Amino acid sequence: MVRRYWRVLVRRFAVWASPAHRAWRRSLQLRVVTLTLVASSLLVAAFGWFIADRSAKILLSRAQDEVQVSMRNKVGYAEQQLTVHPQARDPLLPRTFATIVGQLADGDPAESGGSVVSIRAGQSAELAPVTSPNVDTAELITAELVHRVSDDAKVANQIVTARVNGHTTKYLVTGSPVPTSFGHVELYYMVPLTTEDSAANQIRTTVLATGLALVIMLGVIAGLVTRLVVTPVRVAARTAQRLSAGLLDQRMKVDGEDDLALLAASFNQMAANLQRQIVRLEELSRLQRRFTSDVSHELRTPLTTVRMAADLIFAERDEFDPAVARSAELLQAELDRFESLLTDLLEISRFDAGFAALDAEHTDLVPIVERVADRLTGLAERVGVEIELRLPDTPVIAEVDPRRVERVLRNLVGNAVEHGEAKPVQVTLASDDAAVAITVRDHGIGLKPGEERLVFNRFWRADPSRARQTGGTGLGLSISAEDARLHGGWLEAWGAPGEGAQFRLTLPVRSGDRLLAAPLPLIPRDRAPALPAPGPAPAGDKAEVV
């Protein structure tokens, strides 16, 4: 019960302190001012306490010195008056006691402004103590002080706060033995420390007010100084944010010739250089894309002519010499490869130019997967690879562009067959309420750590020296990744040396929805779960369970 109560309190405090914690993390000025106030408060408090304590001790020491001088005079007077009495039983001795007290007392103790004098003969019980009128000294003269003065015959003092005649006052009580012919007589002199206490309180109040004003001034000065530094930094941060958003003409205002002005000038120079480089790179990229597109289009016309001639030669190859017939077959294969490369370049140029459009419609993905597998069966049989389909019995409907999805699957399955090393290739389809996923798993040479990101780069190959069966262009996976992004989906890869690779295509069921998880894991279920998958999973993937 207690633990739950404390947890509730801690949770409520965390909620209450959350805005302050957020402001503390985000504001440099707040941290500097707060730390300055805390440090200055500690220093001023320590210095103020030292000054106040030292002043109080000086005032008390001065009061003690004055009382000591006065006490010596009073003891001398009392000793002079008591020399005429040879013994304690002298009937005139009480009157002498009263005379001494009357002469030595000054002021009215009832007004908490006068001193109190008391004389007593502790060694003569028949002599009653005599004290200044209407003053009860029971709280002022303690047993400890009496013992030190009477038994030890020493001059002693102490500070006592007591209530005298209805007023609570602090007294400096000093006791001294008075030597006589009939034994020791004790004289006690009680001086109120009202003036010293008042002066000490005034000093404390003055130190406190001065320290508080000093702390406030330091806080204000720290805030102003920090503002002078933080404001240009904030301006630089906002300008950098605008630059990162594409507003390349943003600049900082340069005032003066100090370090902050130098920072602003350097920042502006950097922004100008970046703007020139970005504009130059954009122009080069635009020219490159235009060049690729123009070349691809321009090569279409001669390619068509060459294709017609090659088709004619290829159709008549049986009538040629075997070497010429083989040349005709090679010419036909390379023309197919060249035409595929031109097609891929044109598609890439459309993606680069932002002209690619999604023609989404509600489509059953099961027939698409089956159609891709059927078209690649011949290639799979030639290389000794079996394509295994793991498809649900019910239709899997999603709002996709069937042409692009089929192209992605054709690239994935074709690559898996090519790199399958005569081992089966599994194609799995699964879906849930929000997403549909297709995985293509091969058991070939696999991918090295880090290559699962490189496979989607243009013209990248894991092993350029390796003999290829299909003569790919090196752009298939790049186009497939662009097709997946156009759908708002993911195309991811996993691989391990000697364990094959698996590619996963994840698409939203409804076009435009945001993906949060995939129905199928990226890491194959047949892989050992103790080994972590190389490379981090994409943000939002909640289905990476082996």
Side-chain angles (χ1 to χ4, degrees):
M1 183 67 181
V2 176
R3 289 182 178 179
R4 182 164 56 181
Y5 177 74
W6 278 109
R7 283 198 297 268
V8 172
L9 285 182
V10 171
R11 193 179 301 112
R12 290 182 178 178
F13 176 77
V15 173
W16 175 80
S18 179
H21 184 256
R22 191 181 304 111
W24 175 266
R25 287 189 295 106
R26 293 182 177 180
S27 177
L28 175 62
Q29 185 175 11
L30 176 62
R31 292 199 298 272
V32 172
V33 173
T34 303
L35 293 176
T36 302
L37 289 176
V38 171
S40 61
S41 298
L42 293 176
L43 291 175
V44 170
F47 182 73
W49 176 85
F50 174 77
I51 293 297
D53 182 71
R54 187 64 181 169
S55 300
K57 288 182 179 179
I58 291 174
L59 291 173
L60 179 60
S61 177
R62 182 178 299 175
Q64 288 175 340
D65 292 342
E66 293 177 355
V67 168
Q68 291 295 335
V69 173
S70 179
M71 191 65 179
R72 285 195 294 268
N73 295 332
K74 293 180 187 298
V75 169
Y77 175 79
E79 182 180 0
Q80 181 182 2
Q81 295 295 323
L82 292 174
T83 54
V84 298
H85 301 283
Q87 58 183 354
R89 296 182 179 180
D90 190 340
L92 298 178
L93 189 57
R95 181 182 299 177
T96 303
F97 276 12
T99 301
I100 293 174
V101 169
Q103 290 294 327
L104 297 182
D106 53 353
D108 187 1
E111 299 178 356
S112 300
S115 61
V116 179
V117 177
S118 177
I119 189 170
R120 61 180 66 185
Q123 299 176 355
S124 302
E126 63 274 10
L127 291 175
V130 179
T131 308
S132 296
N134 302 323
V135 174
D136 182 10
T137 61
E139 297 182 17
L140 297 175
I141 303 176
T142 63
E144 180 183 358
L145 181 63
V146 172
H147 171 72
R148 294 169 61 188
V149 174
S150 176
D151 299 341
D152 298 340
K154 295 180 179 180
V155 179
N157 58 59
Q158 65 180 8
I159 298 175
V160 179
T161 301
R163 191 170 182 81
V164 178
N165 291 342
H167 298 279
T168 300
T169 309
K170 182 188 291 186
Y171 281 88
L172 174 60
V173 182
T174 303
S176 175
V178 179
T180 63
S181 58
F182 53 84
H184 284 298
V185 173
E186 303 140 35
L187 179 65
Y188 296 94
Y189 184 36
M190 290 150 275
V191 179
L193 298 177
T194 306
T195 303
E196 287 75 9
D197 277 351
S198 178
N201 290 333
Q202 289 181 0
I203 292 175
R204 293 190 187 96
T205 303
T206 303
V207 170
L208 178 61
T210 304
L212 183 61
L214 181 61
V215 169
I216 294 175
M217 290 178 60
L218 287 175
V220 173
I221 293 173
L224 294 176
V225 173
T226 308
R227 184 181 180 85
L228 293 176
V229 178
V230 171
T231 299
V233 175
R234 290 176 177 172
V235 172
R238 288 194 294 267
T239 306
Q241 290 175 352
R242 296 190 185 101
L243 287 173
S244 64
L247 302 177
L248 302 179
D249 58 341
Q250 296 294 311
R251 297 293 184 271
M252 291 181 62
K253 184 179 180 181
V254 180
D255 291 328
E257 299 178 358
D258 55 8
D259 294 336
L260 294 176
L262 179 60
L263 172 64
S266 301
F267 185 91
N268 291 340
Q269 184 178 1
M270 178 192 68
N273 294 334
L274 287 176
Q275 183 179 15
R276 285 193 298 269
Q277 292 295 330
I278 291 174
V279 171
R280 178 173 174 271
L281 291 175
E282 287 180 348
E283 181 65 20
L284 290 176
S285 178
R286 186 184 65 82
L287 292 176
Q288 182 182 13
R289 291 195 299 267
R290 183 176 178 180
F291 174 78
T292 303
S293 179
D294 291 347
V295 168
S296 301
H297 281 91
E298 291 298 328
L299 288 177
R300 279 291 183 182
T301 301
L303 178 62
T304 303
T305 304
V306 174
R307 164 66 71 179
M308 294 173 60
D311 289 342
L312 180 60
I313 296 174
F314 185 77
E316 303 293 336
R317 69 183 183 281
D318 294 336
E319 300 179 2
F320 299 152
D321 183 80
V324 178
R326 178 57 180 165
S327 299
E329 293 175 357
L330 293 177
L331 175 62
Q332 186 74 8
E334 291 303 317
L335 282 174
D336 291 339
R337 178 181 172 84
F338 187 44
E339 188 173 11
S340 177
L341 177 60
L342 283 180
T343 302
D344 290 346
L345 286 174
L346 285 173
E347 189 66 25
I348 285 290
S349 65
R350 280 192 288 269
F351 280 117
D352 291 339
F355 293 152
L358 189 68
D359 188 12
E361 60 184 42
H362 289 87
T363 307
D364 185 3
L365 297 180
V366 174
I368 295 179
V369 177
E370 293 175 342
R371 186 164 58 249
V372 170
D374 290 340
R375 292 181 178 178
L376 293 173
T377 300
L379 172 63
E381 291 176 351
R382 286 197 303 272
V383 298
V385 172
E386 180 184 357
I387 301 177
E388 299 177 359
L389 300 183
R390 300 175 181 179
L391 307 177
D393 297 331
T394 58
V396 178
I397 306 298
E399 192 176 357
V400 298
D401 187 336
R403 180 183 65 86
R404 296 183 184 275
V405 173
E406 183 173 349
R407 180 167 60 189
V408 174
L409 294 179
R410 188 167 59 249
N411 282 323
L412 297 181
V413 178
N415 287 339
V417 169
E418 178 188 352
H419 297 87
E421 300 293 331
K423 298 177 182 178
V425 171
Q426 291 93 27
V427 182
T428 306
L429 171 63
S431 65
D432 56 23
D433 294 337
V436 58
I438 304 172
T439 59
V440 179
R441 170 79 161 108
D442 68 71
H443 300 82
I445 60 175
L447 297 173
K448 298 177 183 178
E451 290 185 347
E452 67 276 359
R453 299 181 182 88
L454 299 176
V455 292
F456 300 108
N457 292 346
R458 300 175 185 181
F459 301 108
W460 184 87
R461 292 180 182 177
D463 186 5
S465 62
R466 182 177 178 271
R468 300 175 55 89
Q469 299 293 332
T470 57
T473 64
L475 295 173
L477 289 179
S478 299
I479 296 174
S480 298
E482 295 292 343
D483 283 332
R485 277 193 287 267
L486 194 62
H487 281 85
W490 308 326
L491 181 58
E492 304 151 278
W494 168 90
E499 298 187 34
Q502 176 162 290
F503 287 78
R504 181 180 66 181
L505 173 65
T506 309
L507 303 174
V509 172
R510 290 167 294 275
S511 180
D513 287 359
R514 182 171 178 266
L515 287 178
L516 298 177
L520 292 174
L522 176 60
I523 304 174
R525 300 183 187 276
D526 58 359
R527 187 173 185 265
L531 297 176
D541 190 353
K542 307 299 183 183
E544 299 304 320
V545 180
V546 178

